[in-house]
Amino acid sequence: MSETGTKLTAEEIKQSARETGIELTGEWLDDLVDGSAFVIWARRHLREMSEAASQAEMSTCRPT
Amino acid sequence: MPSDLTSEVPSLAEAARQIRSKRLSPVELTRSCLDRIAALDGALHCFIRLDEKGAMASARAAEQEIARGGYRGPLHGIPTGFKDLFNRRGMVTTAHSRSRIDAVAFADADVVTRLDAAGAIDLGKLAMHELALGGPSFDLPWPPVRNPWDVSRFTHGSSSGTAAAIAAGFILAGPGTDTAGSIRGPAAYCGIAGLKPTFGLVSVAGTVPLSPTLDHAGPMGWTVEDCAILLSALIDQGGSEPSAHLSSLQDGVKGLRIGVVRHFYETDHPVSAETREAIEAALDVYRALGAYVEEIRLAPLADYAAAAGVIMVCEAYQAHLGTLRENPQLFGRIFRNRISLGALYHSDDLSRAYAARARLKAAFADQTAGFDAIVTAVVPSTAPLIDEVPMWPTVEKPSLLSPFNITEGPALAVCCGFSKNGMPLSMQVAGRRFDDALILRIGHAYERAVGWRGKRPPARSTAKALAGNEDAIGVTGDR
């Protein structure tokens, strides 16, 4: 799945939904393309938070 | 109907004092609420189901019981209503969704049981955003609730019917639920008080779930004191002593340390100038009352928004996946779309969100050490026009509400003035877990020091809107 754009493509969204048993078409699919901007942002932001937390934790340790 | 409802509608606390001293009849009080509903709810749409007969029967029973010396407490004989997310045995709990049109509850929600035991008068089921997530929606069996301060404006959600009904004087107080701001947002836009208590303090058993690890139930009222009274009933353990939420309410703020989180509303999500000025004026009130006010920094709003947004949608998606697969047409467009984002997240995303929540909770405890409470904005401006509400949350404007669903501590919306166009402004007072009594005390001290509670929504403009749209709106006895 695309991690570089600001939104997912309609095909990516369709495939993800199909994997959970949902068939997306028409307006529903079009709406989710817009909504996927939040998904992309949240995913990136949580990953960055996680990496920052890991680095902070590592900085509290030293090799023995 | 007078142009201003203030002269007719007492606060819960004032009504309780009058009922206890037998200067106010529960029957007359309930009748006056029902008359107001009959006159104005055709324009506001607060009630999905109004039980006039049942309410009057309960009011008469309360009056007789009180006359016999059986006064139960400050909710006895007080008109209330239930967001249609709380189960009432034998009645449908629609959660404002076509998908639950036949969902008859087989037991009362704990919240309903407690308010029944306290002697409150149930006027009926209140409208909300679909399943506590989608709204305002115009494609559901019931129209969205309108703001009593201006019917062209949004109420926020999801406890929209409860907030508007309290502001309009249809009920004196009522419970709401708050997963990502659904008590505090409507309280802010409708100019009332609303407390999201500490997570778990008020039972959500018998409540249609949205996101079980973020769902809270809590009180909404015209005043902070009303919220304290309602909260005490909602968590009453049966003792004879008043709970701490009431006993410390009058203790003031002298010597307390209040942290103001300006970066939330100045840089993370810039709010309107009127909102900023109203909060600064409220901080001046606290200083004048003897509190120490200092700036404090928390994690960026975006951190809370990312964690809360992912957790809420993923949990809601699991809760409604069956209907989404089999009968998605039973959902309104907004709800269907918002939970469908759950299909796009990976398990890694949810794991990271849970981990982020744990870190944010721990950091909040450290960052607020030495402070009694924090003050920040609750919504970015006054209520927008109802047809200008976007479908999707924006990345650039993270929610001011969700941080305290993540930290799990109490967060209170308090009216802190009015805009130039007469719409309510609001601030948020929040604290650490189980500091609910302290947060109510701080909110109450502000409210007592200012005069905002003397102003009610103008009934005349609502009635005028109704007169202009009678055919389109329609008024029935059973909604």
Side-chain angles (χ1 to χ4, degrees):
Chain A
M1 189 174 291
S2 167
E3 300 285 338
T4 53
T6 56
K7 291 180 186 175
L8 299 174
T9 66
E11 202 46 49
E12 288 171 330
I13 290 170
K14 242 176 138 169
Q15 182 57 35
S16 280
R18 190 171 290 146
E19 286 167 10
T20 66
I22 295 170
E23 283 300 324
L24 293 178
T25 54
E27 176 191 76
W28 191 1
L29 179 58
D30 294 341
D31 286 345
L32 288 191
V33 172
D34 287 336
S36 70
F38 186 85
V39 175
I40 293 282
W41 171 79
R43 176 172 295 144
R44 280 189 188 143
H45 196 82
L46 288 168
R47 186 177 293 144
E48 286 166 10
M49 287 171 69
S50 176
E51 286 166 2
S54 294
Q55 284 174 9
E57 187 159 322
M58 289 299 287
S59 71
T60 64
C61 304
R62 65 175 69 168
T64 55
Chain B
M1 189 62 56
S3 62
D4 193 318
L5 294 171
T6 311
S7 57
E8 286 196 10
V9 188
S11 68
L12 189 172
E14 179 55 30
R17 283 188 280 272
Q18 291 187 28
I19 288 173
R20 183 173 199 173
S21 62
K22 300 188 176 66
R23 286 179 290 132
L24 178 63
S25 149
V27 172
E28 288 172 17
L29 179 62
T30 302
R31 185 71 263 162
S32 70
C33 288
L34 291 168
D35 288 348
R36 217 171 280 117
I37 292 165
L40 301 174
D41 200 35
L44 298 180
H45 311 303
C46 294
F47 278 89
I48 281 182
R49 179 176 290 275
L50 181 65
D51 182 12
E52 184 167 349
K53 283 184 184 170
M56 288 307 295
S58 297
R60 283 191 289 274
E63 188 156 297
Q64 289 164 8
E65 189 177 358
I66 292 166
R68 290 195 304 267
Y71 183 69
R72 299 190 205 179
L75 283 174
H76 204 174
I78 298 294
T80 188
F82 291 95
K83 179 179 184 177
D84 201 14
L85 199 71
F86 295 111
N87 287 336
R88 161 76 75 188
R89 189 167 64 93
M91 291 179 67
V92 171
T93 308
T94 69
H96 211 120
S97 179
R98 191 179 283 109
S99 69
R100 295 183 53 88
I101 210 86
D102 298 320
V104 178
F106 57 82
D108 289 340
D110 283 358
V111 160
V112 171
T113 301
R114 289 196 179 281
L115 296 194
D116 283 353
I121 310 299
D122 179 8
L123 268 53
K125 290 296 194 82
L126 291 156
M128 52 182 283
H129 282 183
E130 185 175 22
L131 291 155
L133 184 61
S137 297
F138 295 86
D139 57 353
L140 303 178
W142 311 271
V145 181
R146 299 285 178 152
N147 196 312
W149 295 91
D150 177 346
V151 296
S152 70
R153 292 187 181 272
F154 188 36
T155 53
H156 211 292
S158 63
S159 307
S160 45
T162 312
I166 292 166
F170 296 172
I171 59 174
L172 300 197
T177 61
D178 190 320
T179 302
S182 289
I183 287 175
R184 293 159 289 150
Y189 279 172
C190 294
I192 66 165
L195 176 76
K196 180 202 78 65
T198 296
F199 181 74
L201 189 63
V202 176
S203 169
V204 291
T207 306
V208 178
L210 176 64
S211 173
T213 73
L214 291 172
D215 289 344
H216 298 64
M220 305 172 80
W222 180 243
T223 67
V224 175
E225 184 179 19
D226 293 353
C227 288
I229 291 170
L230 188 54
L231 181 64
S232 296
L234 291 172
I235 60 174
D236 177 27
Q237 300 300 310
S240 57
E241 295 297 313
S243 78
H245 308 97
L246 286 172
S247 60
S248 64
L249 197 64
Q250 312 292 341
D251 289 355
V253 296
K254 189 168 185 179
L256 296 185
R257 287 185 72 206
I258 295 174
V260 53
V261 194
R262 287 197 179 89
H263 69 90
F264 273 11
Y265 60 88
E266 287 187 348
T267 54
D268 298 1
H269 185 163
V271 301
S272 70
E274 284 181 312
T275 301
R276 216 168 44 240
E277 287 160 13
I279 293 172
E280 288 304 322
L283 295 171
D284 285 341
V285 171
Y286 279 126
R287 288 188 192 94
L289 292 171
Y292 301 103
V293 177
E294 299 168 43
E295 189 148 356
I296 181 175
R297 284 199 73 83
L298 302 177
L301 268 184
D303 291 6
Y304 297 101
V310 172
I311 292 170
M312 181 177 70
V313 167
C314 288
E315 292 185 354
Y317 183 72
Q318 287 305 317
H320 297 288
L321 183 55
T323 309
L324 202 59
R325 276 183 186 140
E326 305 297 330
N327 292 297
Q329 76 283 359
L330 295 181
F331 293 135
R333 181 180 174 190
I334 292 179
F335 178 81
R336 180 200 66 189
N337 286 348
R338 287 180 181 167
I339 62 161
S340 295
L341 292 188
L344 309 182
Y345 288 113
H346 307 155
S347 58
D348 281 0
D349 300 326
L350 185 57
S351 299
R352 287 194 184 103
Y354 284 140
R357 174 167 64 183
R359 288 193 302 271
L360 287 165
K361 272 173 68 176
F364 181 81
D366 289 344
Q367 288 153 349
T368 57
F371 287 89
D372 294 290
I374 61 171
V375 166
T376 192
V378 56
V379 285
S381 65
T382 57
L385 294 170
I386 196 167
D387 51 6
E388 291 183 358
V389 179
M391 180 176 296
W392 299 111
T394 63
V395 174
E396 298 80 18
K397 296 178 177 178
S399 168
L400 291 151
L401 295 157
S402 58
F404 309 108
N405 296 82
I406 291 289
T407 62
E408 299 186 348
L412 174 72
V414 189
C415 179
C416 63
F418 293 87
S419 66
K420 287 190 181 74
N421 64 351
M423 296 301 292
L425 298 162
S426 190
M427 66 174 170
Q428 192 165 205
V429 185
R432 286 185 294 272
R433 295 171 72 231
F434 300 107
D435 275 352
D436 302 72
L438 179 59
I439 296 308
L440 288 164
R441 170 182 155 194
I442 292 169
H444 178 64
Y446 169 78
E447 230 176 35
R448 279 207 313 175
V450 295
W452 309 125
R453 294 301 75 195
K455 183 177 177 182
R456 285 271 185 176
R460 185 173 290 166
S461 65
T462 304
K464 191 175 170 187
L466 182 60
N469 293 285
E470 262 176 357
D471 293 340
I473 293 167
V475 182
T476 65
D478 188 0
R479 277 161 283 140

